[in-house]
Amino acid sequence: MLLQRLKMKGIRNPDHSRALIKEKLTADPDSEIATTSLQVSLMCPLGKMRLTIPCCAVTCTHLQCFDAALYLQMNEKKPTWICPVCDKKAAYESLILHGLFMEIFHDCSDVDEIKSQED
C-alpha cells in the first residue's frame, strides 16, 4: 500500500537530476580539485541487486538511489527511516521516485553503472 501511494505521489523530474549533475560537475574557481565525471551505481545499496524502483529522499543531495520496495520492506520490520546512502533521515513523506534513473532503466537493461561527463 505504501509503495502504491509513493508511485501516485509522482516522480522527480529528470531535468532536476540533470541540473544537479551539471552543478556537481561545474568547476569551482576557488577549489584546486575539479570533478570531471560522476559515477553512479544502478545497484541498490540495500539488496546489492539492480534497482527496480529507484527512489531517494528529497532531503538527500546525492544522486545514488535505493530501491523503494526494499527500503519500505526493511522499515516495515525495523522502522529507522535512515537513507542507506548518506545516513540522513529519509522519512516516508520525503521519499520520491527518481525520474532520470527510470529513464535510464527504460533505455538500458544491461548496465549496472552510469558515468556522467562534464559535456
Side-chain angles (χ1 to χ4, degrees), residues 95-112:
L95 298 180
I96 190 160
L97 300 181
H98 211 285
L100 179 61
F101 280 79
M102 291 177 129
E103 276 185 4
I104 292 167
F105 291 153
H106 183 266
D107 296 339
C108 311
S109 60
D110 59 344
V111 177
D112 291 334

Side-chain angles (χ1 to χ4, degrees), residues 32-80:
E32 294 178 18
I33 301 169
T35 304
T36 57
S37 67
L38 286 172
Q39 210 161 328
V40 180
S41 174
L42 301 181
M43 305 297 279
C44 177
L46 294 169
K48 307 295 184 212
M49 299 181 311
R50 195 164 196 269
L51 293 162
T52 53
I53 306 168
C55 175
C56 63
V58 293
T59 53
C60 294
T61 57
H62 51 78
L63 289 168
Q64 182 66 53
C65 293
F66 47 87
D67 191 81
L70 191 53
Y71 185 70
L72 293 174
Q73 248 179 353
M74 282 183 57
N75 281 289
E76 183 179 39
K77 291 181 174 75
K78 186 180 175 194
T80 56

Side-chain angles (χ1 to χ4, degrees), residues 12-29:
R12 175 178 272 170
N13 189 323
D15 291 335
H16 177 273
S17 300
R18 287 186 186 96
L20 185 62
I21 291 168
K22 285 178 184 172
E23 181 184 312
K24 288 182 182 286
L25 292 175
T26 301
D28 180 359

